[in-house]
Amino acid sequence: MLRIPCPFCGTRDHSEFSYGGDASVEYPALEAPAEAWLEAVFQRDNIDGVQLETWQHLHGCRMWIVVERDTRSHEIHSVRPAHEGLASALAQSADPVNES
Amino acid sequence: MKPYSAWNVFRNGLSRQKGWERAWRDPEPKTEYDVVIVGAGLHGLASAYYLAKNHGITNVAVLDKGWLGSGNAGRNTTIVRSNYMMPGNREFYEHSLKLWENLSHELNYNVMFSQRAHVSLLHSPAARDGAARRYNTMRLTGADGELWDLPTLKRKIPHLNYSADSRFPIIGATVQPRAGTARHDAVAWGYARGADQRGVDIIQNCEVTGVERTANQVTGLKTSRGIIRGRKVGFAVAGNTSRLWRMAELGKLPIESHKLQAFVSEPLKPLLDQVVVFGVGGAHFYISQSDKGGMVFGGDLDWYKSYAQRGNLPIVQDVAECATSILPCLGRVRLLRHWAGVMDMSMDGSAFLCKTPLSNLYLNAGWNYGGFKASPASGWYFADLIANDRPDPVILNHALSRFERGINIDERGAGPDPKLHG
Ligand SMILES: Cc1cc2nc3c(=O)[nH]c(=O)nc-3n(C[C@H](O)[C@H](O)[C@H](O)COP(=O)(O)OP(=O)(O)OC[C@H]3O[C@@H](n4cnc5c(N)ncnc54)[C@H](O)[C@@H]3O)c2cc1C
Ligand SMILES: [Zn+2]
């Protein structure tokens, strides 16, 4: 079992989470040329090593998070909320787990 | 090389089994070949075999970082079928099934292909309508397909869970009678032996670590056993495709590597004559019984990207739940072993058999979890592509360019998310 430290709920089994995908993908502006969309939707680095990926704490706080994980060893290096606003709010609160 | 035959088995019985030769050589790599294929899985070995057999190209090497068949070739649940619907796929997989039907004779090697029927359970009238459409479309390409109503299914497989208050009551099944299973190792060994007999060098323990290239050509492969050059080069490395692609500095691919697990139970007396598939409401499960008696089964991917050939526990629970919900009689059967392989999951669930941005490099990848059944046809068309430098009409759309042209081959209609295909 992977154990993912959710920034809000604490460390939980990965079966509570749902896997999103490659977090390094940046979606282009709507009117961007087709090639930019082709790149974002279909083309992947598929890194064998440490990559950024999104997960959602589906059976917990339901927050989307960005996880830095090694695809060879499954070791998790860092976790942060995907939403910038949530990230800074959580960073300011001293004891996020007991915050309501 | 003497052919395998009943006579040879008898004769060697009299001479204490001392007369057998090794099945393939273990040659030192030459520095140059007409064709070098990276990856001695089923697809690489079959490609080498058909290059020699169909096209007379025998100055060929197949390189593998481990032993041949050490990847997904020897890790799959061995289901062979051709119940695909999309144009391109259905001709391809039906051609493959026809090759399977004669493979043991073709290779003079018993691959234990057992056409025991592939039975997909149905749980709703809507699913039955969808399946009827799929199977009728298949029949137009010459594949076989049947709908079994509930009484027929109960007669054929009496011990499924037919309880009316089960979460997803069974109402019938779609069936491909010519589908079945085969012994995966034997397929790898049979192709290896056949290719070797025709002059192909199979070089094991030879890892490709770098690709030398000019602007538009591969000039050599750096390997753990020195530089090896091929006038033409083919990649057939399944879950490791992106790694090789990066070595060739070709950028990104519409592929992600995910892992899939397989499970085998302790051996039982004959219990299940068919391959049974259970897929409804998020469940995904397939099961058959091996000749040794073990129940062989599997389910979904592990859901997160991985290059590690080891599986995780939630899927063990998942498949166990699926198993006991359709075959409650398995409740006290013990699991013997389980393992995982790294799958080359593509953006639309279909494969790539195509040319690449480099003029003498060819790509064989993106097999998702369907590449075992595909291996004969994959080798057949990949050899043809390499020999003639143009794709056969059947694989015309199995190219990397299909996404930019908007002609995705998405059997499931799941969209561009590799983990959702299978
Ligand atoms: C658990 C599981 C169940 C499956 N079930 C089914 C099924 O029921 N039916 C079905 O049709 N398909 C199934 N599949 C899919 C099928 O097994 C694969 O799609 C198919 O085997 C892939 O092709 P291959 O045999 O050529 O790959 P592999 O056997 O993986 O061959 C690739 C080879 O490339 C080598 N390689 C990698 N990198 C390098 C390098 N740098 N240098 C040299 N060599 C390298 C590897 O060592 C490996 O031997 C399943 C797969 C798994 C894992
Ligand atoms: Zn949480």
Side-chain angles (χ1 to χ4, degrees), chain B residues 285-305:
Chain B
F285 179 72
Y286 33 91
I287 185 165
S288 65
Q289 188 169 22
S290 79
D291 291 320
K292 285 191 283 188
M295 304 306 294
V296 179
F297 50 94
D300 277 314
L301 295 170
D302 269 30
W303 294 124
Y304 53 89
K305 253 188 61 186

Side-chain angles (χ1 to χ4, degrees), chain A residues 1-2 14-15 19-20 22 38-39 41-48 51 53 55 69 71-74, chain B residues 242-243 246 252-257 259 303-308 310 312 314 347 403-404 408 416 419:
Chain A
M1 193 75 78
L2 308 186
H14 86 266
S15 52
Y19 186 68
D22 191 330
L38 182 76
E39 185 78 5
V41 176
F42 295 110
Q43 298 288 60
R44 294 292 175 264
D45 283 321
N46 196 19
I47 293 169
D48 52 326
Q51 69 158 15
E53 57 193 22
W55 292 74
R69 186 181 61 97
T71 57
R72 294 161 306 182
S73 63
H74 301 163
Chain B
S242 297
R243 274 181 174 157
R246 251 194 303 285
K252 302 180 182 183
L253 274 176
I255 290 177
E256 278 186 2
S257 297
K259 63 195 151 90
W303 294 124
Y304 53 89
K305 253 188 61 186
S306 173
Y307 279 91
R310 60 191 157 82
N312 219 323
M347 278 290 172
F403 299 107
E404 67 195 55
N408 310 1
K419 66 181 180 297

Side-chain angles (χ1 to χ4, degrees), chain B residues 68-87:
Chain B
L68 69 87
S70 58
N72 297 337
R75 291 168 193 263
N76 58 72
T77 43
T78 80
I79 299 171
V80 175
R81 55 185 172 86
S82 71
N83 54 353
Y84 286 71
M85 191 173 81
M86 300 300 286

Side-chain angles (χ1 to χ4, degrees), chain A residues 6 8-9 57 60-63:
Chain A
C6 172
F8 190 73
C9 311
H57 197 186
C61 62
R62 302 184 68 87
M63 187 184 355

